[in-house]
Amino acid sequence: MPNANFGSVDRMNDSTLLQASDIRMAFPKPDGGELLVLDGINLELREREIVGVLGRSGSGKSTLLRLIAGLAAPTAGHVSYLGERVVGPARGIAMVFQSFAIFPWLTVFQNVALGLEAQGLPRPEIRQRSLAAIDMIGLDGFESAYPRELSGGMRQRVGFARALVVHPNIMLMDEPFSALDVLTAETLRTDFLDLWAEGRMPIRSVVLVTHNIEEAVLMCDRIVVFGSNPGRILAEIKVTLTQPRNRLDPGFRELVERIYVEMTARPAGAVPSRGGVGLSTVLPRTSSNLLAGLLETVAAAPFNGSADLPKIAHDLQMEIDDLFPVAETLQMMRFAEVGGGDIRLTEAGVAFANAGVDERKRIFARHLLTHVALAAHIRRVLDERASHVARKSRFVDELEDFMSEEAAEQTLSAVVTLGRYAEVFAYDDDRATFSLENPV
Ligand code: ADP
Ligand code: MG
């Protein structure tokens, strides 16, 4: 609907339910610095739409949901909801979480009714609304069951019912399908979309947080593509495919491809194209099997050195949270270039894929020590010490000058994986120490 008051402070129009403006969120770090998690986020939520927030793990999606729900306050910027600034938990905004956040000692009915208890409604109304929500979401007959008696899919339905029972204006869903098996997840998605299309759910708008590209294209009217470090909006994509959507439809595949392109567009200053990876870089989680596996797959026919990431993801059944960290590690180590939704092996990447075991280790070690500063640093410390031993905590402390504790742990565990595979150092998990015990 064209708006009458465009240009007002919040640029709100008639159908705007919620607006997040210039959001910035930083958390304090142990060393007194700050960890910037969200920057320059502008997001508008309108009547009757499902908006997807798509991004990798750690890109700040859950943080954004908490800000929208008023569960935390942004460092800068503000959220307005129905024209009023959000301060504190906002009424009429309900959340569904990834994990089945329901109480094991309460029955399905009690878990759902709990959503309403706080509102002080008359008993009969609580009962009537709870039963209606249970019925709608497909839990009819399970009212007196305990969560332990339910499958994961049914438990997640309880999570949905508990959000619906309050008749929220906005339903925020934080990766609600990601802990479910493939079939159950698809059933729940389809059921949800059917209810939504029929207009039966007492909700006006939905925000769906996901790291699953296809899920976003399947369900959303609009997708906000997030980049990481700090979380920011890379692109906003309108999805005009009619529902129900078909994953095999060419228009569907085109959108998936476009999102890959957006997500692999290298932001200025992200991974430097020259000069390697500094100590301040958070290393992605990875496994040596996946690294070697991806190199081999891309090197082999039919790809012959260059592959479309969506195709690879599909062939190897990998989600972006698995595929991107591996592709990025290969990029950091100069075994591949990632961009435009593609991965292309470098000469070294091809050489690695074609080499035997020993030669692979040599190539890998050389690239690791040349391009990953942390690996070179650990090796140098070990070389310099007479004992050739160093505690992990020493490196964690160093990394925490640059990154969060969690990121430092992840980075150390990634460098352990890479260093072990390259045999440039050893790591003893029991003693939490690096050493030169095995390497040559
Ligand atoms: P996502 O949901 O996209 O996986 P999150 O919003 O959970 O991402 O987290 C984004 C980043 O913010 C992560 O690096 C995480 O460690 C950090 N973070 C989230 N909450 C806090 C907090 N309360 N204190 C410090 N850091 C936090
Ligand atoms: Mg999250």
Side-chain angles (χ1 to χ4, degrees), residues 25-29 35-38 53 55-66 174-175 209-211 226 228-229 231 321 404-407:
M25 186 65 173
F27 292 107
K29 283 199 297 187
L35 176 71
L36 185 58
V37 170
L38 292 172
V53 174
R56 289 172 47 186
S57 165
S59 58
K61 305 181 298 297
S62 295
T63 303
L64 179 62
L65 281 196
R66 291 177 56 77
D174 197 351
E175 315 215 17
V209 159
T210 178
H211 64 261
F226 255 53
S228 314
N229 303 311
D321 265 353
S404 71
E405 194 179 330
E406 195 187 329

Short mmCIF file of all heavy atoms in Angstrom, two decimals, residues 25-29 35-38 53 55-66 174-175 209-211 226 228-229 231 321 404-407, ligand 1:
data_model
loop_
_atom_site.label_atom_id
_atom_site.label_comp_id
_atom_site.label_asym_id
_atom_site.label_seq_id
_atom_site.Cartn_x
_atom_site.Cartn_y
_atom_site.Cartn_z
N MET A 25 25.51 -3.41 17.26
CA MET A 25 25.57 -4.14 18.52
C MET A 25 27.00 -4.60 18.76
O MET A 25 27.60 -5.25 17.92
CB MET A 25 24.63 -5.35 18.46
CG MET A 25 24.49 -6.09 19.77
SD MET A 25 23.69 -5.03 21.00
CE MET A 25 23.45 -6.19 22.35
N ALA A 26 27.52 -4.22 19.92
CA ALA A 26 28.87 -4.63 20.28
C ALA A 26 28.83 -5.21 21.68
O ALA A 26 28.08 -4.74 22.53
CB ALA A 26 29.82 -3.44 20.21
N PHE A 27 29.62 -6.24 21.91
CA PHE A 27 29.73 -6.82 23.24
C PHE A 27 31.12 -6.51 23.80
O PHE A 27 32.09 -6.51 23.05
CB PHE A 27 29.54 -8.35 23.20
CG PHE A 27 28.15 -8.77 22.84
CD1 PHE A 27 27.87 -9.31 21.59
CD2 PHE A 27 27.11 -8.63 23.75
CE1 PHE A 27 26.58 -9.71 21.26
CE2 PHE A 27 25.82 -9.03 23.43
CZ PHE A 27 25.56 -9.56 22.19
N PRO A 28 31.19 -6.26 25.10
CA PRO A 28 32.51 -6.01 25.68
C PRO A 28 33.37 -7.26 25.66
O PRO A 28 32.87 -8.37 25.83
CB PRO A 28 32.18 -5.60 27.13
CG PRO A 28 30.79 -6.04 27.39
CD PRO A 28 30.09 -6.19 26.08
N LYS A 29 34.66 -7.08 25.43
CA LYS A 29 35.58 -8.21 25.45
C LYS A 29 36.37 -8.19 26.76
O LYS A 29 36.48 -7.15 27.41
CB LYS A 29 36.55 -8.12 24.27
CG LYS A 29 35.91 -8.54 22.96
CD LYS A 29 36.93 -8.89 21.90
CE LYS A 29 37.81 -7.73 21.51
NZ LYS A 29 38.68 -8.05 20.38
N LEU A 35 33.57 -6.38 20.88
CA LEU A 35 33.34 -7.27 19.75
C LEU A 35 32.14 -6.75 19.00
O LEU A 35 31.02 -6.75 19.51
CB LEU A 35 33.07 -8.69 20.27
CG LEU A 35 32.73 -9.74 19.21
CD1 LEU A 35 33.97 -10.07 18.39
CD2 LEU A 35 32.17 -10.99 19.85
N LEU A 36 32.37 -6.29 17.77
CA LEU A 36 31.28 -5.75 16.97
C LEU A 36 30.55 -6.90 16.29
O LEU A 36 31.15 -7.64 15.51
CB LEU A 36 31.83 -4.77 15.93
CG LEU A 36 30.79 -4.03 15.09
CD1 LEU A 36 29.83 -3.25 15.96
CD2 LEU A 36 31.47 -3.13 14.08
N VAL A 37 29.29 -7.07 16.62
CA VAL A 37 28.53 -8.22 16.14
C VAL A 37 27.54 -7.85 15.04
O VAL A 37 27.32 -8.61 14.11
CB VAL A 37 27.80 -8.90 17.33
CG1 VAL A 37 26.83 -9.94 16.84
CG2 VAL A 37 28.81 -9.53 18.27
N LEU A 38 26.97 -6.65 15.16
CA LEU A 38 26.05 -6.18 14.11
C LEU A 38 26.40 -4.74 13.78
O LEU A 38 26.70 -3.95 14.67
CB LEU A 38 24.60 -6.23 14.61
CG LEU A 38 23.96 -7.60 14.85
CD1 LEU A 38 22.60 -7.43 15.53
CD2 LEU A 38 23.82 -8.38 13.56
N VAL A 53 16.05 -14.12 7.45
CA VAL A 53 17.37 -13.59 7.78
C VAL A 53 18.33 -14.75 7.60
O VAL A 53 18.32 -15.70 8.38
CB VAL A 53 17.43 -13.01 9.20
CG1 VAL A 53 18.85 -12.61 9.55
CG2 VAL A 53 16.49 -11.83 9.34
N GLY A 55 22.06 -16.30 7.08
CA GLY A 55 23.48 -16.04 7.27
C GLY A 55 24.14 -17.22 7.96
O GLY A 55 23.48 -18.11 8.48
N ARG A 56 25.46 -17.17 7.94
CA ARG A 56 26.20 -18.28 8.54
C ARG A 56 26.19 -18.19 10.05
O ARG A 56 25.87 -17.15 10.62
CB ARG A 56 27.63 -18.25 8.02
CG ARG A 56 27.66 -18.66 6.56
CD ARG A 56 28.99 -18.46 5.98
NE ARG A 56 30.02 -18.99 6.86
CZ ARG A 56 31.31 -18.84 6.62
NH1 ARG A 56 31.70 -18.18 5.55
NH2 ARG A 56 32.19 -19.34 7.44
N SER A 57 26.56 -19.28 10.65
CA SER A 57 26.64 -19.34 12.09
C SER A 57 27.59 -18.24 12.59
O SER A 57 28.64 -18.02 12.01
CB SER A 57 27.15 -20.73 12.46
OG SER A 57 27.57 -20.74 13.77
N GLY A 58 27.18 -17.52 13.61
CA GLY A 58 28.03 -16.47 14.17
C GLY A 58 27.88 -15.12 13.50
O GLY A 58 28.57 -14.16 13.86
N SER A 59 26.96 -15.00 12.54
CA SER A 59 26.83 -13.72 11.84
C SER A 59 25.92 -12.74 12.58
O SER A 59 25.70 -11.62 12.10
CB SER A 59 26.35 -13.94 10.40
OG SER A 59 25.11 -14.62 10.38
N GLY A 60 25.39 -13.15 13.72
CA GLY A 60 24.63 -12.20 14.53
C GLY A 60 23.12 -12.30 14.36
O GLY A 60 22.38 -11.42 14.81
N LYS A 61 22.64 -13.37 13.76
CA LYS A 61 21.20 -13.51 13.49
C LYS A 61 20.40 -13.59 14.79
O LYS A 61 19.39 -12.90 14.95
CB LYS A 61 20.94 -14.77 12.65
CG LYS A 61 21.73 -14.82 11.35
CD LYS A 61 21.42 -16.07 10.53
CE LYS A 61 21.76 -17.39 11.20
NZ LYS A 61 23.19 -17.58 11.49
N SER A 62 20.84 -14.44 15.70
CA SER A 62 20.10 -14.57 16.97
C SER A 62 20.15 -13.27 17.76
O SER A 62 19.17 -12.89 18.40
CB SER A 62 20.68 -15.71 17.81
OG SER A 62 20.49 -16.95 17.17
N THR A 63 21.29 -12.62 17.70
CA THR A 63 21.42 -11.33 18.39
C THR A 63 20.40 -10.35 17.84
O THR A 63 19.72 -9.65 18.60
CB THR A 63 22.85 -10.78 18.22
OG1 THR A 63 23.77 -11.75 18.72
CG2 THR A 63 23.02 -9.47 18.96
N LEU A 64 20.25 -10.31 16.53
CA LEU A 64 19.28 -9.39 15.92
C LEU A 64 17.85 -9.73 16.39
O LEU A 64 17.07 -8.83 16.72
CB LEU A 64 19.36 -9.46 14.39
CG LEU A 64 18.35 -8.57 13.65
CD1 LEU A 64 18.59 -7.10 13.98
CD2 LEU A 64 18.42 -8.78 12.14
N LEU A 65 17.53 -11.00 16.46
CA LEU A 65 16.19 -11.38 16.94
C LEU A 65 15.95 -10.91 18.36
O LEU A 65 14.88 -10.42 18.70
CB LEU A 65 15.99 -12.90 16.88
CG LEU A 65 15.67 -13.52 15.52
CD1 LEU A 65 15.12 -14.93 15.70
CD2 LEU A 65 14.68 -12.68 14.73
N ARG A 66 16.96 -11.05 19.20
CA ARG A 66 16.82 -10.61 20.59
C ARG A 66 16.58 -9.10 20.67
O ARG A 66 15.79 -8.62 21.49
CB ARG A 66 18.06 -10.98 21.41
CG ARG A 66 18.21 -12.50 21.64
CD ARG A 66 19.49 -12.84 22.39
NE ARG A 66 19.59 -12.13 23.66
CZ ARG A 66 18.93 -12.47 24.75
NH1 ARG A 66 18.12 -13.51 24.73
NH2 ARG A 66 19.07 -11.78 25.86
N ASP A 174 13.87 -18.73 15.29
CA ASP A 174 15.33 -18.85 15.24
C ASP A 174 15.74 -20.26 14.84
O ASP A 174 15.82 -21.14 15.68
CB ASP A 174 15.94 -18.47 16.60
CG ASP A 174 17.42 -18.18 16.48
OD1 ASP A 174 18.00 -18.43 15.40
OD2 ASP A 174 18.01 -17.69 17.47
N GLU A 175 15.98 -20.46 13.58
CA GLU A 175 16.36 -21.77 13.03
C GLU A 175 15.46 -22.88 13.55
O GLU A 175 15.95 -23.90 14.05
CB GLU A 175 17.84 -22.07 13.36
CG GLU A 175 18.74 -20.86 13.10
CD GLU A 175 20.12 -21.23 12.60
OE1 GLU A 175 20.31 -22.36 12.15
OE2 GLU A 175 20.99 -20.35 12.63
N VAL A 209 14.82 -16.90 10.87
CA VAL A 209 16.28 -16.93 10.84
C VAL A 209 16.73 -18.31 10.39
O VAL A 209 16.22 -19.32 10.87
CB VAL A 209 16.86 -16.62 12.24
CG1 VAL A 209 18.28 -17.12 12.36
CG2 VAL A 209 16.80 -15.13 12.51
N THR A 210 17.63 -18.34 9.45
CA THR A 210 18.08 -19.65 8.96
C THR A 210 19.49 -19.56 8.38
O THR A 210 19.95 -18.49 7.99
CB THR A 210 17.11 -20.19 7.88
OG1 THR A 210 17.60 -21.44 7.40
CG2 THR A 210 16.98 -19.23 6.71
N HIS A 211 20.18 -20.71 8.36
CA HIS A 211 21.45 -20.76 7.62
C HIS A 211 21.28 -21.65 6.39
O HIS A 211 22.24 -22.00 5.73
CB HIS A 211 22.59 -21.26 8.52
CG HIS A 211 22.42 -22.67 8.99
ND1 HIS A 211 21.94 -22.99 10.22
CD2 HIS A 211 22.64 -23.84 8.36
CE1 HIS A 211 21.87 -24.31 10.33
NE2 HIS A 211 22.29 -24.85 9.22
N PHE A 226 22.80 -12.05 5.17
CA PHE A 226 23.75 -11.52 6.14
C PHE A 226 25.19 -11.90 5.80
O PHE A 226 25.45 -13.02 5.39
CB PHE A 226 23.43 -12.12 7.52
CG PHE A 226 22.76 -11.17 8.45
CD1 PHE A 226 21.61 -10.50 8.06
CD2 PHE A 226 23.28 -10.95 9.72
CE1 PHE A 226 20.99 -9.61 8.92
CE2 PHE A 226 22.66 -10.06 10.60
CZ PHE A 226 21.51 -9.40 10.20
N SER A 228 29.20 -11.89 7.63
CA SER A 228 29.72 -12.05 8.99
C SER A 228 30.85 -11.08 9.31
O SER A 228 31.48 -10.54 8.41
CB SER A 228 30.26 -13.48 9.18
OG SER A 228 29.37 -14.43 8.67
N ASN A 229 31.11 -10.95 10.60
CA ASN A 229 32.29 -10.24 11.12
C ASN A 229 32.49 -8.83 10.59
O ASN A 229 33.44 -8.61 9.86
CB ASN A 229 33.57 -11.05 10.86
CG ASN A 229 33.48 -12.42 11.47
OD1 ASN A 229 33.12 -12.57 12.63
ND2 ASN A 229 33.79 -13.42 10.68
N GLY A 231 28.24 -8.83 11.60
CA GLY A 231 27.00 -9.13 10.91
C GLY A 231 26.47 -7.88 10.23
O GLY A 231 26.39 -6.82 10.84
N ASP A 321 26.82 -23.89 6.25
CA ASP A 321 27.63 -23.85 7.47
C ASP A 321 28.75 -24.89 7.45
O ASP A 321 29.71 -24.80 8.19
CB ASP A 321 26.77 -24.03 8.72
CG ASP A 321 26.37 -22.69 9.31
OD1 ASP A 321 26.88 -21.66 8.83
OD2 ASP A 321 25.59 -22.67 10.26
N SER A 404 36.68 -12.80 20.38
CA SER A 404 35.99 -13.32 21.57
C SER A 404 36.63 -14.63 22.00
O SER A 404 37.34 -15.28 21.23
CB SER A 404 34.52 -13.53 21.26
OG SER A 404 34.37 -14.64 20.38
N GLU A 405 36.33 -15.03 23.22
CA GLU A 405 36.84 -16.28 23.77
C GLU A 405 36.42 -17.46 22.89
O GLU A 405 37.22 -18.34 22.57
CB GLU A 405 36.25 -16.43 25.17
CG GLU A 405 36.91 -17.47 26.02
CD GLU A 405 36.26 -17.53 27.40
OE1 GLU A 405 35.75 -16.48 27.87
OE2 GLU A 405 36.24 -18.62 27.98
N GLU A 406 35.16 -17.42 22.49
CA GLU A 406 34.61 -18.48 21.66
C GLU A 406 35.34 -18.56 20.31
O GLU A 406 35.72 -19.64 19.86
CB GLU A 406 33.14 -18.14 21.45
CG GLU A 406 32.26 -19.23 20.92
CD GLU A 406 30.87 -18.66 20.60
OE1 GLU A 406 30.42 -17.70 21.27
OE2 GLU A 406 30.26 -19.17 19.65
N ALA A 407 35.55 -17.40 19.71
CA ALA A 407 36.24 -17.36 18.41
C ALA A 407 37.68 -17.83 18.57
O ALA A 407 38.23 -18.50 17.69
CB ALA A 407 36.18 -15.96 17.82
P1 ADP B 1 24.16 -16.48 14.88
O1 ADP B 1 22.82 -16.58 15.51
O2 ADP B 1 24.14 -15.87 13.52
O3 ADP B 1 24.89 -17.78 14.88
P2 ADP B 1 24.82 -14.94 17.24
O4 ADP B 1 23.92 -13.76 17.21
O5 ADP B 1 24.44 -16.05 18.14
O6 ADP B 1 25.05 -15.48 15.75
O7 ADP B 1 26.28 -14.48 17.65
C1 ADP B 1 27.02 -13.54 16.90
C2 ADP B 1 28.32 -13.26 17.60
O8 ADP B 1 28.04 -12.55 18.80
C3 ADP B 1 29.09 -14.49 18.00
O9 ADP B 1 30.46 -14.24 17.77
C4 ADP B 1 28.82 -14.63 19.47
O10 ADP B 1 29.90 -15.22 20.12
C5 ADP B 1 28.65 -13.19 19.89
N1 ADP B 1 27.75 -13.02 21.04
C6 ADP B 1 26.43 -13.28 21.06
N2 ADP B 1 25.89 -12.99 22.26
C7 ADP B 1 26.93 -12.53 23.03
C8 ADP B 1 27.03 -12.05 24.39
N3 ADP B 1 25.96 -11.98 25.19
N4 ADP B 1 28.26 -11.66 24.81
C9 ADP B 1 29.32 -11.72 24.00
N5 ADP B 1 29.30 -12.14 22.72
C10 ADP B 1 28.12 -12.55 22.24
#
